[in-house]
Amino acid sequence: MKYYIIAGEASGDLHGSNLMKELLLLDPNASIRFWGGDLMNAVGGTLVKHYKELAFMGFAEVLFNLKTILKNIDFCKKDIEAFQPDALIFIDYPGFNMRIAKWAKQKKIATHYYIAPQIWAWKENRIQAIKRDFDKLYVILPFEKDFFEKKHSYPVEFVGHPLLDAISNHPKVNEDQFKKENQLDNRPVIALLPGSRKQEIKKMLHEMTALAKDFKEFQFVIAGAPSIDFDFYKDFINLENIKFVSNKTYDLLSIAHAALVTSGTATLETALFKVPEIVCYKGNWISYQIAKRIITLKYISLVNLIMDKEVVKELIQDDCNSKKLKEEFIKINQPEHRSWLLKEYDVLQTKLGGIGASKKVAQLIVEATK
């Protein structure tokens, strides 16, 4: 069988790579062509375009790069048509993927959407396009099944969260060896996860690294994104207790005492590694002003959304400042708060279901494609 997969971000690359492994186990002769990143490329198949060429974030950034985006869409359609896949698999990345799916459905190509667009957060009217353009939808958050099936009468498959697979498959890390290899000392490690796009990294690291001067008893370690060179981070490594590792986020979280995390998938990854965290977000001013008027969710982090209460502190936009970060940092280092937080993380993991999301999705796609 021939599979064409489109993942447009770092998290999609991770989940796409695990899905590809399972597809190849079920269908050893599979031919896979994909948009993704280094992790998917390491599995095999043919990389068409790297996600770092697609990383435009927020309303304003998309508008400024519209010409490039439209050119990518046109190229993608032509590439799919030339390949003639038996299954077209979309992973998250809704702005791009839903445009391709509309076209693909008209071409009678089987469409599978793994990791549903978060229309429960905004753009709920997209449900009509989802019903029209996707043959199968695989959801990963427990509340999404009720949202699609009960509220919108659209049957979906809840497969569990693929992060459980990714984390359970991650090799155990030797803390002493990791610190030695990355020139870290014996102080407790505070992981800084500022995101994967240059726009957000600049904003977030300015706030995150400011803590280092007041807490010399810790070492603050920046998790470098795999698609961004070290030179981009150099200006932020301006104190002796600010360090840097590249493309080793899971290893870093494995040994971290606490973390400052930009909103997104990383908030959930950090919780599943059982690391106390503060969620930080400071976006483009125009994008933020638009978003806060159309998004009505109580929380921005996946941890709090799944738990339906504030488990981790969220510092958003103006609240993401050195004073409040310092207050919350002191709090997550208090033994009683840490103990409570780790118990809440256990409940969170139970809510997400067991491991095996990648395998379930692969099985469902292969069965539907036969």
Side-chain angles (χ1 to χ4, degrees):
M1 296 291 186
K2 292 160 69 175
Y3 305 91
Y4 198 106
I5 305 174
I6 305 174
E9 299 169 299
S11 59
D13 181 37
L14 172 64
H15 304 321
S17 68
N18 288 324
L19 176 60
M20 286 170 65
K21 289 173 188 174
E22 296 295 341
L23 284 172
L24 289 167
L25 285 173
L26 292 168
D27 185 1
N29 296 318
S31 175
I32 303 176
R33 195 167 174 85
F34 62 92
W35 295 43
D38 297 341
L39 295 176
M40 293 172 76
N41 201 32
V43 177
T46 302
L47 174 63
V48 179
K49 203 172 269 284
H50 201 289
Y51 69 77
K52 67 184 177 183
E53 299 179 53
L54 314 171
F56 305 116
M57 177 185 134
F59 302 97
E61 290 82 5
V62 168
L63 185 62
F64 296 148
N65 292 282
L66 190 57
K67 186 176 179 181
T68 300
I69 293 168
L70 292 174
K71 190 181 293 185
N72 283 336
I73 289 171
D74 185 57
F75 171 74
C76 185
K77 290 176 182 177
K78 290 175 180 175
D79 196 57
I80 292 168
E81 196 155 28
F83 186 59
Q84 287 294 301
D86 297 293
L88 177 53
I89 304 166
F90 304 93
I91 301 179
D92 203 0
Y93 201 52
F96 187 92
N97 277 337
M98 290 187 69
R99 288 188 179 215
I100 300 297
K102 181 180 180 181
W103 166 87
K105 190 66 176 177
Q106 293 168 351
K107 295 287 183 179
K108 301 189 178 345
I109 300 170
T111 51
H112 300 258
Y113 209 157
Y114 177 33
I115 306 178
Q118 296 175 349
I119 64 170
W120 39 265
W122 71 301
K123 289 191 176 181
E124 191 167 346
N125 61 347
R126 280 178 164 177
I127 185 63
Q128 300 307 323
I130 289 171
K131 286 181 174 182
R132 181 191 67 214
D133 298 332
F134 295 99
D135 297 311
K136 299 286 183 180
L137 183 64
Y138 311 102
V139 301
I140 63 172
L141 298 172
F143 58 80
E144 289 180 319
K145 187 170 177 65
D146 281 351
F147 174 83
F148 284 104
E149 294 190 344
K150 292 184 178 179
K151 186 172 183 180
H152 292 291
S153 302
Y154 179 62
V156 301
E157 296 280 354
F158 172 60
V159 295
H161 206 293
L163 282 181
L164 295 172
D165 289 347
I167 291 170
S168 68
N169 292 335
H170 187 71
K172 188 171 176 60
V173 175
N174 181 303
E175 183 170 352
D176 291 338
Q177 184 178 338
F178 179 82
K179 286 183 173 180
K180 183 177 180 181
E181 288 175 354
N182 293 280
Q183 299 180 322
L184 306 181
D185 56 43
N186 289 322
R187 286 175 288 185
V189 167
I190 308 302
L192 305 183
L193 277 59
S196 59
R197 301 178 181 95
K198 289 184 177 180
Q199 303 103 306
E200 65 183 352
I201 292 171
K202 279 184 178 179
K203 285 185 172 68
M204 299 318 308
L205 278 183
H206 176 73
E207 302 295 344
M208 290 176 171
T209 55
L211 274 180
K213 66 179 183 296
D214 294 319
F215 296 94
K216 298 289 189 182
E217 67 272 32
F218 298 99
Q219 53 189 330
F220 293 75
V221 184
I222 300 167
S227 58
I228 299 175
D229 293 335
F230 171 71
D231 285 349
F232 180 78
Y233 295 93
K234 280 197 301 190
D235 290 344
F236 296 100
I237 308 171
N238 52 14
L239 294 171
E240 62 84 25
N241 64 330
I242 298 176
K243 309 293 176 65
F244 176 85
V245 299
S246 180
N247 199 19
K248 296 178 182 177
T249 301
Y250 277 16
D251 288 355
L252 180 62
L253 287 174
S254 296
I255 67 158
H257 174 76
L260 308 182
V261 187
T262 297
S263 178
T265 305
T267 64
L268 185 55
E269 290 172 311
T270 302
L272 292 175
F273 271 101
K274 307 298 171 69
V275 180
E277 66 181 301
I278 304 167
V279 176
C280 314
Y281 182 76
K282 183 174 282 191
N284 172 283
W285 187 86
I286 296 172
S287 296
Y288 176 73
Q289 293 302 318
I290 296 171
K292 77 175 185 178
R293 286 164 173 78
I294 62 176
I295 298 175
T296 57
L297 296 176
K298 289 187 289 185
Y299 308 109
I300 65 167
S301 71
L302 283 172
V303 175
N304 293 342
L305 284 167
I306 294 165
M307 294 292 284
D308 197 26
K309 65 179 181 179
E310 186 179 79
V311 173
V312 296
K313 185 65 178 179
E314 299 179 353
L315 297 178
I316 307 169
Q317 210 66 9
D318 292 341
D319 284 338
C320 186
N321 58 57
S322 56
K323 181 176 181 292
K324 291 195 174 182
L325 266 174
K326 187 174 180 179
E327 290 172 359
E328 293 301 324
F329 185 73
I330 290 169
K331 186 176 178 180
I332 64 169
N333 280 290
Q334 294 170 350
E336 284 187 10
H337 183 75
R338 292 175 66 86
S339 177
W340 171 82
L341 189 54
L342 293 176
K343 287 176 183 175
E344 293 294 323
Y345 283 172
D346 288 339
V347 176
L348 170 73
Q349 185 162 339
T350 301
K351 281 178 175 281
L352 287 173
I355 61 173
S358 306
K359 184 175 182 179
K360 288 174 194 170
V361 175
Q363 287 173 335
L364 289 165
I365 291 172
V366 170
E367 286 170 11
T369 307
K370 286 179 180 176

